Amino acid sequence: MRKLYIVGTGGFAKEVAQLASEINSASSRWGAIEYLCETAEEIGKPMPYGKVVGTDAVLNELAEPADVAVGIGQPRIRRKLGSRILENPLLGLPNLIHPANGIDLEHVLLGRGNIITRGSAFTCDISIGDLNVFNLNSTVGHDAKVGSFNVVNPGCNISGGVSISDSCLLGTGCQVLEGVSIASKSTVGAGAVVVKDIEEEGLTYVGIPARRLDT
């Protein structure tokens, strides 16, 4: 059985390990769950469901296939790490989907390395790219299209026909209304309600209705 390496040692990495453990309980998928850190000082540190076994340089040194999950909840870092992992033929990027979610994979097209936590609900005719995070109790409606490296925080609702590009951060409890498009590298604040397209990349929107935050 393959090992699953979780890149990261913070709180989100622990939650990813918990999700993987629950998947393992249902399907015995991995022989071990281990963490990779940024600096060598953490090597040997005990963690929930496993321990820190090395830095992320381990991924370049493997002699046999392994699976990897990115346990970091920042779009920019997910993109950087994920792009490197995708280039390595020995590394698998499985979709980690909580066993209780009941997603119909005949009608939800998933790329690689997506993390879909407990309580997330997807309807149908949905297209999802790579290395996205859908955190607790988030929802995605019909005909939605989500790119890659996005982080959807708990309780966020993405309505039908929405299009989200790449590397976006959607805050806890935000709402994206039907048919809206969101440009790459956008940030939507917690509790915001997006009622019209966000067309320019890299901006932050907050409030009800969501408005551009000028800095």
Side-chain angles (χ1 to χ4, degrees):
M1 296 174 69
R2 289 187 177 209
K3 288 183 178 180
L4 174 67
Y5 291 106
I6 297 173
V7 182
T9 58
F12 182 60
K14 296 176 186 179
E15 292 181 342
V16 173
Q18 180 187 28
L19 172 60
S21 177
E22 291 177 340
I23 293 169
N24 235 14
S25 294
S27 62
S28 300
R29 188 164 181 179
W30 299 288
I33 298 171
E34 298 179 339
Y35 293 78
L36 300 178
C37 57
E38 184 176 6
T39 60
E41 288 79 5
E42 290 188 272
I43 294 174
K45 176 182 175 182
M47 300 284 288
Y49 313 100
K51 66 179 181 179
V52 181
V53 297
T55 69
D56 58 14
V58 166
L59 299 178
N60 301 322
E61 301 164 357
L62 294 176
E64 58 186 23
D67 286 341
V68 183
V70 179
I72 298 171
Q74 300 174 42
R76 177 183 59 82
I77 298 177
R78 294 187 67 79
R79 182 173 197 134
K80 181 179 178 180
L81 288 171
S83 298
R84 196 176 106 207
I85 294 164
L86 286 164
E87 292 173 354
N88 189 331
L90 283 178
L91 300 179
L93 273 168
N95 292 308
L96 304 188
I97 305 171
H98 193 278
N101 284 357
I103 294 173
D104 183 355
L105 294 178
E106 289 189 14
H107 298 283
V108 177
L109 179 64
L110 290 175
R112 299 170 62 190
N114 295 289
I115 295 172
I116 303 175
T117 62
R118 181 190 291 270
S120 297
F122 291 59
T123 60
C124 59
D125 291 337
I126 294 166
S127 174
I128 306 291
D130 300 322
L131 287 142
N132 298 285
V133 174
F134 296 90
N135 219 317
L136 301 167
N137 300 315
S138 56
T139 67
V140 183
H142 64 86
D143 300 292
K145 293 179 171 57
V146 180
S148 298
F149 318 114
N150 299 290
V151 175
V152 179
N153 277 304
C156 175
N157 302 127
I158 299 170
S159 300
V162 165
S163 178
I164 297 172
S165 193
D166 299 327
S167 302
C168 296
L169 178 65
L170 275 60
T172 299
C174 74
Q175 314 289 312
V176 185
L177 299 193
E178 187 171 3
V180 167
S181 295
I182 297 179
S184 293
K185 302 178 183 177
S186 298
T187 297
V188 177
V193 179
V194 183
V195 301
K196 61 182 181 180
D197 292 352
I198 295 175
E199 298 178 341
E200 189 175 348
E201 293 186 2
L203 300 179
T204 297
Y205 280 72
V206 298
I208 304 173
R211 294 184 174 86
R212 175 178 172 177
L213 179 64
D214 294 320
T215 57

